[in-house]
Amino acid sequence: MDAAEAILNEGGVESLTAGAVAARAGIARNSIYRYFGSIEDLLELVVTREFPAWIDVVRAYTGEEALRCAFSYYRALPTSAQQIQDAVVTARLTMPTMAVGSHPVGTGLEHQLRPIADGLVGHHLQDCGHIIPLDRPDVLLALLTPFLSADLPK
């Protein structure tokens, strides 16, 4: 199921073929038909399972006020970038730091922090959208738990 969802997210319905799903899932193409009568049955299951969550996202970002709030982070990027640039001129991140990236940013945050962070740990999550806590909460928790429970350097 996750393979089908990932393919839909990347290429849309047109890219959802038995071969693509099987390759993504790491199984033989014919194995799909042990679980689904057709690729249309698989698509129906993905849509009926995921569609309610997609509708919730659409509703959350419907209307001018919701969109204004959603884009405020992006409007603040130039100011944030300048604040960070000013801060690292005289200081470094000396505390343990973790950068977690996913699609479409990938390891960008890790590469930005590497020159200014002493104890940087970087992770790149595959098959994940850019809202990591929403897309892969279990994987994020598995990364954060040992990081946050580690003894701090003396």
Side-chain angles (χ1 to χ4, degrees):
M1 182 69 87
D2 290 338
E5 292 169 22
I7 291 167
L8 282 172
N9 288 337
E10 291 172 4
V13 173
E14 300 80 25
S15 62
L16 187 65
T17 65
V21 172
R24 187 68 173 251
I27 61 174
R29 183 179 180 274
N30 289 341
S31 295
I32 296 281
Y33 299 104
R34 293 169 64 194
Y35 305 99
F36 303 98
S38 67
I39 203 68
E40 289 77 19
D41 292 345
L42 173 59
L43 179 59
E44 181 181 345
L45 183 61
V46 170
V47 169
T48 57
R49 188 179 101 176
E50 296 301 319
F51 194 68
W54 294 340
I55 291 297
D56 288 344
V57 170
V58 170
R59 284 187 182 134
Y61 290 104
T62 298
E64 188 175 323
E65 181 64 12
L67 288 173
R68 185 190 65 74
C69 291
F71 291 123
S72 64
Y73 170 82
Y74 300 101
R75 284 193 303 276
L77 284 175
T79 301
S80 297
Q82 187 61 53
Q83 290 169 335
I84 292 168
Q85 188 175 12
D86 293 346
V88 299
V89 167
T90 59
R92 297 184 52 77
L93 296 175
T94 57
M95 75 289 285
T97 307
M98 179 185 285
V100 182
S102 63
H103 182 77
V105 177
T107 58
L109 178 61
E110 179 183 354
H111 291 295
Q112 289 173 330
L113 291 174
R114 182 76 50 208
I116 61 166
D118 294 337
L120 180 64
V121 175
H123 299 281
H124 179 216
L125 304 185
Q126 300 294 323
D127 299 326
C128 182
H130 74 285
I131 305 176
I132 297 169
L134 179 64
D135 291 343
R136 302 292 298 278
D138 53 336
V139 175
L140 182 59
L141 182 61
L143 294 174
L144 286 174
T145 300
F147 180 80
L148 295 174
S149 63
D151 289 333
L152 295 175
K154 306 291 184 226

